[in-house]
Amino acid sequence: MKNTIIITLSFLFCLNIMAAPENMSSFPIVEEVSFTNQGTVISGSLVLPNTTSLCPAIIIIDGSGKTQRKMEYAREIAKKGVAVLTYDKRGVGKSGGKYKGRRNASFENLNLLAGDAVAGIEILTTHEKIDKQRIGIWAGSQAGWIAPLAASISSNISFMVLLSSPSVPVSQEMRYSKLTNNDPEFLENHTPEQIESELGKKSIFQLFQSDFNPLPYLEKIDMPVLWIYGEKDRSIPVSTCINILNNLKKDNFQIKTYPDSGHSLRFLKGK
């Protein structure tokens, strides 16, 4: 966790988004907040640096699963001068609404979750201690599909940090996960070219669900984005994702990879 936080903060320093606040205490301030999207109240916590200076802020968007607010992450980041909004996913914890399942990656559900995040971002833009010109997204895994959707809805997002986030369509991520689950050595025994060929095959998933492709949304992103990947990821096809991002030829995209890390980005060793 600490390594990904350090990388995130270094990225923000390089963008001149973050500067060390003056007279900052090491004890963050926690405010309970709520916001509404499509009639559903989402409950969260805003963790603020204990300073009188205006702060940059990030909103944490979680991946799949019944995830609740990430207070440990939020407190660690806030201690470094960045405010953090973290919240319970709809249908989980103190948030209202219905949780629609771990593997529900239909456009309808992804767009709904993006709307939740945008509603949270609106809270940040009105807070007296937050610089509304320095608000960004910190997202991982399935939320890598949600973040570009949120960016297409809101003009208040100035940067994104995306961890283990797919740039491939949903069907390719699902096919890759199935291949690696069925064959523990699939990743080691296939070249990036062979993996890409396998992902190009039609799947049963495409026959029954809409296949969301983030590419049209990624093409329109003009803000700075940091992508962080573990090369041993068995949930998303990292080499294919990086190829897609590189082919976009966007100077505002930065990519950081870790050869000894998987989807969770543990055991990080830099490259």
Side-chain angles (χ1 to χ4, degrees), residues 9-266:
L9 298 179
S10 299
F11 177 64
L12 301 186
F13 269 120
C14 291
L15 296 176
N16 293 320
I17 289 171
M18 183 183 135
E22 297 178 359
N23 304 319
M24 188 175 73
S25 165
S26 59
F27 299 99
I29 300 168
V30 179
E31 297 181 1
E32 296 305 304
V33 298
S34 63
F35 43 94
T36 303
N37 177 40
Q38 295 191 18
T40 296
V41 177
I42 306 298
S43 178
S45 299
L46 177 57
V47 185
L48 294 153
N50 196 341
T51 176
T52 56
S53 304
L54 280 179
C55 302
I58 61 171
I59 184 169
I60 296 178
I61 308 177
D62 279 320
S64 61
K66 290 188 173 184
T67 53
Q68 297 188 41
R69 63 195 82 184
K70 287 182 163 49
M71 296 302 295
E72 183 182 2
Y73 282 82
R75 286 193 175 95
E76 285 299 319
I77 295 172
K79 287 177 183 178
K80 306 301 182 183
V82 179
V84 182
L85 174 56
T86 179
Y87 57 94
D88 299 334
K89 186 178 287 187
R90 61 169 48 229
V92 181
K94 294 182 179 180
S95 289
K98 182 180 179 181
Y99 173 69
K100 296 194 174 182
R102 180 179 179 83
R103 297 299 293 174
N104 190 328
S106 66
F107 173 77
E108 179 184 12
N109 191 49
L110 294 174
N111 199 48
L112 179 65
L113 296 175
D116 292 346
V118 169
I121 289 167
E122 292 304 309
I123 290 289
L124 295 176
T125 64
T126 61
H127 198 284
E128 63 181 1
K129 292 187 177 181
I130 291 174
D131 183 349
K132 65 180 181 180
Q133 302 300 322
R134 297 186 292 164
I135 296 174
I137 287 173
W138 201 56
S141 194
Q142 186 190 80
W145 288 315
I146 297 169
L149 284 170
S152 75
I153 301 169
S154 174
S155 60
N156 293 315
I157 303 166
S158 59
F159 63 91
M160 294 194 289
V161 178
L162 304 180
L163 296 81
S164 300
S165 294
S167 61
V168 295
V170 171
S171 62
Q172 291 192 11
E173 184 275 334
M174 294 189 74
R175 179 166 177 77
Y176 178 77
S177 292
K178 183 177 181 179
L179 289 168
T180 56
N181 285 336
N182 291 342
D183 179 2
E185 296 183 356
F186 175 83
L187 185 56
E188 288 76 14
N189 293 336
H190 289 76
T191 66
E193 292 76 19
Q194 290 172 327
I195 292 174
E196 199 157 332
S197 176
E198 284 288 339
L199 298 182
K201 297 176 181 178
K202 293 288 183 181
S203 68
I204 294 177
F205 170 84
Q206 290 168 284
L207 301 177
F208 295 98
Q209 293 197 44
S210 58
D211 187 15
F212 174 69
N213 186 350
L215 185 59
Y217 299 91
L218 296 176
E219 290 173 334
K220 296 176 182 178
I221 292 175
D222 56 8
M223 68 190 71
V225 184
L226 173 63
W227 303 79
I228 304 177
Y229 289 110
E231 293 180 12
K232 296 186 183 299
D233 197 318
R234 296 182 180 278
S235 295
I236 63 167
V238 168
S239 59
T240 304
C241 288
I242 291 176
N243 282 341
I244 289 171
L245 297 175
N246 286 335
N247 287 337
L248 289 174
K249 301 185 185 302
K250 283 184 167 286
D251 293 336
N252 53 306
F253 284 7
Q254 295 184 36
I255 302 170
K256 181 74 174 176
T257 63
Y258 291 88
D260 298 318
S261 188
H263 193 69
S264 65
L265 294 173
R266 294 174 182 167

